[in-house]
Amino acid sequence: MNLEVLGTIMGSFGGAAVIVAALAKFLSKVWTDRLAKETSAKINKDLEVLKAGFSQDLELLKSKSTQDLELIKSKSTQNLEKIKAKNTEALEQTKHALDIIKGSQEQFGGISLEFYQKFFDVRIDLYLELLDIKNKYIEEMEEEFATEVHEGWGIVYYTTYISLRKLMIKKQLYISNELEESFSELRKNAFEFMKEADMQEVLSREDETPVENEQLRKVYDRFAESTDHLMESVMVQIGKDVSKLRARIELDKA
Protein backbone atom coordinates (compact mmCIF):
# COMPACT_ATOMS: atom_id res chain seq x y z
CA MET A 1 0.00 0.00 0.00
CA ASN A 2 2.78 2.38 0.89
CA LEU A 3 4.54 1.60 -2.37
CA GLU A 4 1.44 2.47 -4.37
CA VAL A 5 1.07 5.82 -2.58
CA LEU A 6 4.75 6.59 -3.18
CA GLY A 7 4.40 5.71 -6.84
CA THR A 8 1.37 7.96 -7.18
CA ILE A 9 3.21 10.84 -5.55
CA MET A 10 6.28 10.34 -7.77
CA GLY A 11 4.08 10.22 -10.85
CA SER A 12 2.47 13.50 -9.87
CA PHE A 13 5.86 15.20 -9.53
CA GLY A 14 7.03 13.84 -12.89
CA GLY A 15 4.04 15.29 -14.72
CA ALA A 16 4.55 18.68 -13.12
CA ALA A 17 8.19 18.70 -14.22
CA VAL A 18 7.17 18.11 -17.80
CA ILE A 19 4.64 20.94 -17.63
CA VAL A 20 7.22 23.33 -16.09
CA ALA A 21 9.80 22.45 -18.73
CA ALA A 22 7.31 23.06 -21.54
CA LEU A 23 6.24 26.36 -20.00
CA ALA A 24 9.87 27.49 -19.60
CA LYS A 25 10.60 26.66 -23.24
CA PHE A 26 7.54 28.64 -24.39
CA LEU A 27 8.38 31.69 -22.28
CA SER A 28 12.01 31.57 -23.46
CA LYS A 29 10.90 31.71 -27.12
CA VAL A 30 8.52 34.60 -26.42
CA TRP A 31 11.22 36.60 -24.64
CA THR A 32 13.79 35.85 -27.31
CA ASP A 33 11.47 37.04 -30.11
CA ARG A 34 10.55 40.18 -28.19
CA LEU A 35 14.22 40.98 -27.44
CA ALA A 36 15.17 40.43 -31.11
CA LYS A 37 12.42 42.80 -32.27
CA GLU A 38 13.41 45.49 -29.76
CA THR A 39 17.11 45.19 -30.69
CA SER A 40 16.32 45.35 -34.43
CA ALA A 41 14.13 48.43 -33.93
CA LYS A 42 16.87 50.18 -31.92
CA ILE A 43 19.53 49.39 -34.56
CA ASN A 44 17.27 50.68 -37.36
CA LYS A 45 16.62 53.86 -35.41
CA ASP A 46 20.35 54.42 -34.79
CA LEU A 47 21.09 53.81 -38.49
CA GLU A 48 18.51 56.40 -39.51
CA VAL A 49 20.09 58.95 -37.14
CA LEU A 50 23.56 58.25 -38.57
CA LYS A 51 22.24 58.44 -42.13
CA ALA A 52 20.61 61.81 -41.46
CA GLY A 53 23.85 63.12 -39.90
CA PHE A 54 25.98 61.96 -42.83
CA SER A 55 23.56 63.50 -45.34
CA GLN A 56 23.73 66.85 -43.53
CA ASP A 57 27.56 66.76 -43.39
CA LEU A 58 27.69 65.88 -47.10
CA GLU A 59 25.48 68.83 -48.00
CA LEU A 60 27.60 71.20 -45.91
CA LEU A 61 30.80 69.92 -47.55
CA LYS A 62 29.25 70.26 -51.01
CA SER A 63 28.16 73.84 -50.27
CA LYS A 64 31.61 74.81 -48.93
CA SER A 65 33.38 73.27 -51.96
CA THR A 66 31.13 75.21 -54.33
CA GLN A 67 31.87 78.46 -52.48
CA ASP A 68 35.65 77.78 -52.56
CA LEU A 69 35.58 77.09 -56.32
CA GLU A 70 33.63 80.28 -56.98
CA LEU A 71 36.14 82.27 -54.90
CA ILE A 72 39.11 80.80 -56.81
CA LYS A 73 37.39 81.50 -60.12
CA SER A 74 36.69 85.10 -59.11
CA LYS A 75 40.28 85.76 -57.97
CA SER A 76 41.72 84.16 -61.12
CA THR A 77 39.50 86.29 -63.37
CA GLN A 78 40.47 89.46 -61.52
CA ASN A 79 44.21 88.71 -61.78
CA LEU A 80 43.98 87.92 -65.49
CA GLU A 81 42.12 91.16 -66.10
CA LYS A 82 44.80 93.12 -64.23
CA ILE A 83 47.58 91.49 -66.28
CA LYS A 84 45.68 92.18 -69.51
CA ALA A 85 45.18 95.83 -68.53
CA LYS A 86 48.90 96.29 -67.72
CA ASN A 87 50.00 94.74 -71.03
CA THR A 88 47.51 96.84 -72.97
CA GLU A 89 48.73 100.00 -71.28
CA ALA A 90 52.38 99.16 -72.03
CA LEU A 91 51.60 98.45 -75.67
CA GLU A 92 49.72 101.73 -75.99
CA GLN A 93 52.64 103.66 -74.49
CA THR A 94 55.07 102.00 -76.89
CA LYS A 95 52.80 102.69 -79.83
CA HIS A 96 52.50 106.34 -78.80
CA ALA A 97 56.29 106.68 -78.52
CA LEU A 98 56.76 105.11 -81.96
CA ASP A 99 54.15 107.45 -83.43
CA ILE A 100 56.06 110.43 -82.03
CA ILE A 101 59.33 109.20 -83.55
CA LYS A 102 57.65 108.52 -86.86
CA GLY A 103 56.07 111.97 -86.87
CA SER A 104 59.40 113.64 -86.12
CA GLN A 105 61.10 111.77 -88.94
CA GLU A 106 58.37 112.70 -91.40
CA GLN A 107 58.48 116.35 -90.32
CA PHE A 108 62.23 116.92 -90.21
CA GLY A 109 63.51 114.10 -92.39
CA GLY A 110 65.56 112.68 -89.50
CA ILE A 111 66.33 113.01 -85.79
CA SER A 112 67.78 116.21 -84.43
CA LEU A 113 71.07 116.20 -82.52
CA GLU A 114 69.33 117.29 -79.31
CA PHE A 115 66.77 114.48 -79.57
CA TYR A 116 69.49 111.96 -80.40
CA GLN A 117 71.51 113.00 -77.34
CA LYS A 118 68.50 112.58 -75.05
CA PHE A 119 67.74 109.24 -76.69
CA PHE A 120 71.34 108.11 -76.19
CA ASP A 121 71.35 109.20 -72.52
CA VAL A 122 68.16 107.27 -71.78
CA ARG A 123 69.59 104.24 -73.57
CA ILE A 124 72.75 104.38 -71.45
CA ASP A 125 70.65 104.47 -68.26
CA LEU A 126 68.56 101.57 -69.53
CA TYR A 127 71.58 99.36 -70.23
CA LEU A 128 73.06 100.22 -66.84
CA GLU A 129 69.89 98.80 -65.28
CA LEU A 130 70.03 95.76 -67.56
CA LEU A 131 73.64 95.18 -66.52
CA ASP A 132 72.62 95.30 -62.84
CA ILE A 133 69.94 92.68 -63.49
CA LYS A 134 72.39 90.49 -65.42
CA ASN A 135 75.12 90.72 -62.77
CA LYS A 136 72.65 90.00 -59.95
CA TYR A 137 71.33 87.01 -61.89
CA ILE A 138 74.83 85.58 -62.39
CA GLU A 139 75.71 86.22 -58.74
CA GLU A 140 72.61 84.52 -57.34
CA MET A 141 72.63 81.60 -59.78
CA GLU A 142 76.34 80.79 -59.63
CA GLU A 143 77.87 82.41 -56.55
CA GLU A 144 75.21 82.64 -53.83
CA PHE A 145 75.50 79.77 -51.32
CA ALA A 146 71.92 80.33 -50.10
CA THR A 147 70.55 79.67 -53.58
CA GLU A 148 72.27 76.29 -53.66
CA VAL A 149 71.18 75.35 -50.11
CA HIS A 150 67.52 76.16 -50.69
CA GLU A 151 67.55 75.02 -54.34
CA GLY A 152 66.11 78.39 -55.28
CA TRP A 153 67.30 78.54 -58.89
CA GLY A 154 63.76 78.59 -60.22
CA ILE A 155 62.78 81.51 -57.99
CA VAL A 156 65.89 83.49 -58.99
CA TYR A 157 65.19 82.74 -62.65
CA TYR A 158 61.56 83.84 -62.36
CA THR A 159 62.31 87.10 -60.51
CA THR A 160 65.02 87.92 -63.08
CA TYR A 161 62.59 87.38 -65.93
CA ILE A 162 59.97 89.60 -64.25
CA SER A 163 62.56 92.38 -63.77
CA LEU A 164 63.65 92.15 -67.42
CA ARG A 165 60.08 92.12 -68.69
CA LYS A 166 59.07 95.14 -66.62
CA LEU A 167 62.08 97.18 -67.73
CA MET A 168 61.96 96.24 -71.42
CA ILE A 169 58.24 96.89 -71.71
CA LYS A 170 58.66 100.28 -70.07
CA LYS A 171 61.61 101.29 -72.27
CA GLN A 172 61.11 99.12 -75.32
CA LEU A 173 61.95 101.97 -77.66
CA TYR A 174 65.53 102.19 -76.38
CA ILE A 175 66.67 98.56 -76.61
CA SER A 176 68.42 97.22 -79.70
CA ASN A 177 66.52 95.30 -82.37
CA GLU A 178 68.58 92.19 -81.60
CA LEU A 179 67.77 92.34 -77.89
CA GLU A 180 64.10 92.91 -78.60
CA GLU A 181 64.06 89.84 -80.85
CA SER A 182 65.81 87.66 -78.24
CA PHE A 183 63.56 88.77 -75.41
CA SER A 184 60.40 88.41 -77.52
CA GLU A 185 61.26 84.77 -78.09
CA LEU A 186 61.79 84.25 -74.35
CA ARG A 187 58.56 86.06 -73.50
CA LYS A 188 56.58 83.98 -76.00
CA ASN A 189 57.80 80.73 -74.42
CA ALA A 190 57.24 82.07 -70.89
CA PHE A 191 53.55 82.83 -71.40
CA GLU A 192 52.12 79.46 -70.29
CA PHE A 193 54.40 79.28 -67.24
CA MET A 194 53.34 82.78 -66.20
CA LYS A 195 49.67 81.81 -66.34
CA GLU A 196 50.33 78.68 -64.28
CA ALA A 197 52.36 80.65 -61.72
CA ASP A 198 49.58 83.25 -61.39
CA MET A 199 47.06 80.47 -60.76
CA GLN A 200 49.25 78.88 -58.08
CA GLU A 201 49.64 82.26 -56.38
CA VAL A 202 45.84 82.58 -56.28
CA LEU A 203 45.55 79.14 -54.66
CA SER A 204 48.34 79.73 -52.11
CA ARG A 205 47.79 81.00 -48.57
CA GLU A 206 48.12 84.73 -48.02
CA ASP A 207 51.02 84.28 -45.58
CA GLU A 208 52.82 81.68 -47.75
CA THR A 209 56.07 82.74 -49.46
CA PRO A 210 57.23 81.38 -52.87
CA VAL A 211 59.94 79.36 -51.06
CA GLU A 212 57.28 77.65 -48.90
CA ASN A 213 54.89 77.00 -51.81
CA GLU A 214 56.07 73.68 -53.25
CA GLN A 215 53.74 73.77 -56.28
CA LEU A 216 54.82 77.30 -57.19
CA ARG A 217 58.49 76.33 -56.91
CA LYS A 218 57.89 73.42 -59.29
CA VAL A 219 56.42 75.83 -61.85
CA TYR A 220 59.45 78.13 -61.53
CA ASP A 221 61.86 75.19 -61.90
CA ARG A 222 60.13 73.90 -65.05
CA PHE A 223 60.11 77.44 -66.45
CA ALA A 224 63.87 77.72 -65.89
CA GLU A 225 64.63 74.29 -67.36
CA SER A 226 62.50 74.88 -70.48
CA THR A 227 63.70 78.39 -71.38
CA ASP A 228 67.23 78.56 -69.95
CA HIS A 229 68.78 78.70 -73.46
CA LEU A 230 66.57 81.67 -74.33
CA MET A 231 67.51 83.54 -71.15
CA GLU A 232 71.16 82.88 -71.99
CA SER A 233 70.65 84.47 -75.44
CA VAL A 234 69.15 87.57 -73.80
CA MET A 235 72.07 87.89 -71.38
CA VAL A 236 74.62 87.47 -74.19
CA GLN A 237 72.88 90.12 -76.29
CA ILE A 238 72.87 92.56 -73.36
CA GLY A 239 76.63 92.10 -73.18
CA LYS A 240 77.03 92.70 -76.91
CA ASP A 241 74.89 95.85 -76.79
CA VAL A 242 76.89 97.20 -73.85
CA SER A 243 80.12 96.60 -75.78
CA LYS A 244 78.74 98.61 -78.72
CA LEU A 245 77.68 101.45 -76.43
CA ARG A 246 81.09 101.46 -74.78
CA ALA A 247 82.80 101.64 -78.16
CA ARG A 248 80.54 104.52 -79.18
CA ILE A 249 81.33 106.41 -75.96
CA GLU A 250 85.07 105.92 -76.55
CA LEU A 251 84.64 107.15 -80.12
CA ASP A 252 82.81 110.29 -78.96
CA LYS A 253 85.59 111.01 -76.45
CA ALA A 254 88.20 110.80 -79.20
Side-chain angles (χ1 to χ4, degrees):
M1 181 70 177
N2 292 334
L3 292 174
E4 292 178 1
V5 172
L6 181 61
T8 301
I9 293 172
M10 291 298 292
S12 298
F13 277 113
V18 171
I19 293 173
V20 170
L23 180 61
K25 181 178 181 181
F26 172 75
L27 292 176
S28 175
K29 185 176 184 303
V30 171
W31 291 339
T32 300
D33 292 343
R34 180 179 298 174
L35 182 61
K37 291 180 179 179
E38 291 178 352
T39 302
S40 177
K42 186 176 185 303
I43 291 174
N44 289 334
K45 183 178 180 181
D46 291 341
L47 287 174
E48 288 298 326
V49 172
L50 288 174
K51 182 179 178 181
F54 287 149
S55 297
Q56 185 177 5
D57 291 341
L58 182 61
E59 288 299 323
L60 290 174
L61 180 60
K62 181 179 178 181
S63 176
K64 186 176 184 304
S65 298
T66 302
Q67 292 175 357
D68 291 341
L69 287 173
E70 289 298 326
L71 179 61
I72 292 172
K73 182 179 178 181
S74 176
K75 287 185 177 180
S76 177
T77 302
Q78 291 175 3
N79 287 340
L80 290 175
E81 288 298 326
K82 289 180 181 179
I83 294 171
K84 182 179 178 181
K86 289 181 180 178
N87 290 339
T88 301
E89 182 182 357
L91 289 173
E92 288 297 327
Q93 291 177 352
T94 302
K95 181 180 178 182
H96 180 66
L98 291 172
D99 288 341
I100 293 175
I101 297 299
K102 183 178 179 181
S104 298
Q105 290 177 334
E106 290 176 350
Q107 182 176 0
F108 301 106
I111 300 177
S112 66
L113 180 61
E114 181 180 359
F115 181 87
Y116 177 80
Q117 187 60 50
K118 290 181 180 179
F119 181 92
F120 190 76
D121 291 341
V122 174
R123 196 174 201 186
I124 291 294
D125 292 337
L126 167 62
Y127 275 92
L128 286 174
E129 291 183 68
L130 290 173
L131 269 180
D132 286 340
I133 294 174
K134 177 182 178 180
N135 290 331
K136 183 178 179 181
Y137 173 74
I138 294 173
E139 179 181 351
E140 292 182 343
M141 291 292 279
E142 300 179 4
E143 301 173 4
E144 282 287 347
F145 179 71
T147 302
E148 183 175 355
V149 170
H150 299 292
E151 296 182 355
W153 295 282
I155 296 175
V156 172
Y157 188 92
Y158 173 81
T159 54
T160 300
Y161 169 78
I162 294 299
S163 297
L164 287 172
R165 186 182 67 178
K166 181 179 179 181
L167 185 57
M168 291 194 186
I169 289 175
K170 183 179 180 181
K171 298 183 178 180
Q172 187 175 3
L173 178 64
Y174 303 95
I175 63 177
S176 69
N177 293 334
E178 294 83 358
L179 181 56
E180 182 177 14
E181 183 178 349
S182 296
F183 186 74
S184 294
E185 187 66 20
L186 172 59
R187 190 178 181 187
K188 181 174 64 177
N189 285 269
F191 180 73
E192 291 299 326
F193 295 102
M194 294 301 99
K195 287 201 303 183
E196 188 175 354
D198 289 338
M199 181 62 69
Q200 289 299 332
E201 287 179 356
V202 171
L203 297 175
S204 65
R205 302 192 312 268
E206 293 182 359
D207 60 340
E208 192 174 31
T209 64
V211 176
E212 297 170 336
N213 191 325
E214 184 65 22
Q215 295 302 319
L216 192 57
R217 289 182 60 183
K218 288 180 179 179
V219 175
Y220 292 163
D221 290 343
R222 286 191 288 105
F223 174 39
E225 291 172 1
S226 299
T227 61
D228 178 64
H229 62 291
L230 298 175
M231 177 68 81
E232 181 64 22
S233 297
V234 171
M235 294 301 178
V236 169
Q237 189 59 52
I238 290 174
K240 291 180 178 179
D241 290 349
V242 169
S243 296
K244 292 179 181 179
L245 288 173
R246 188 182 293 116
R248 180 55 190 265
I249 293 173
E250 293 297 327
L251 182 64
D252 289 344
K253 286 182 179 180

